[in-house]
Amino acid sequence: AVVSTQSTGDVVNRIQWDDKFNTADFVVGYLDRFDGLVEEEFTLFDWSDVTTVDDWENFCIPKHRVYYFKERGEVVWDRRSRLDLIFEQRNETCKNCNIPNT
């Protein structure tokens, strides 16, 4: 297994902006305060800063609640085991990314 040093935010940015990925292929495993570990489609989330989002209109969680990402049913990044198939098996650099400057 590949050991991850990438943060949740790094993984989210890579999935959103790298042309190699289709966001519809991803599921997010996160800790819900009431229901425990839950999975939802990546595209349902508003990945903005949680302090700037209207909770009534957008689905947003703090990034520290994300435990893993799945792509087409396979876990490709897991915080607990430090598995990273997002960066490590895809050349580590994001050559095809169009990440906006923030």
Side-chain angles (χ1 to χ4, degrees):
V2 180
V3 176
S4 178
T5 58
Q6 304 298 324
S7 71
T8 302
D10 293 335
V11 175
V12 167
N13 285 336
R14 182 80 183 257
I15 292 169
Q16 285 181 315
W17 301 106
D18 191 327
D19 295 334
K20 296 177 196 170
F21 298 111
N22 179 352
T23 57
D25 291 341
F26 286 87
V27 167
V28 180
Y30 69 96
L31 185 62
D32 182 88
R33 291 185 297 174
F34 304 106
D35 296 327
L37 202 54
V38 178
E39 289 186 353
E40 291 289 348
E41 294 177 19
F42 183 91
T43 54
L44 293 179
F45 290 84
D46 181 331
W47 291 105
S48 305
D49 183 332
V50 71
T51 61
T52 64
V53 175
D54 180 351
D55 291 343
W56 296 104
E57 295 189 21
N58 299 304
F59 185 56
C60 186
I61 61 167
K63 289 181 181 68
H64 69 268
R65 289 198 188 166
V66 174
Y67 277 74
Y68 60 85
F69 293 92
K70 287 182 178 179
E71 182 181 24
R72 289 184 235 113
E74 178 188 354
V75 176
V76 292
W77 185 89
D78 187 296
R79 187 174 78 191
R80 295 165 295 184
S81 68
R82 298 182 59 121
L83 173 70
D84 183 353
L85 303 178
I86 295 288
F87 284 87
E88 299 301 327
Q89 290 191 348
R90 294 184 171 132
N91 298 328
E92 292 189 31
T93 59
C94 190
K95 295 176 185 168
N96 297 325
C97 291
N98 296 312
I99 299 175
N101 294 329
T102 54

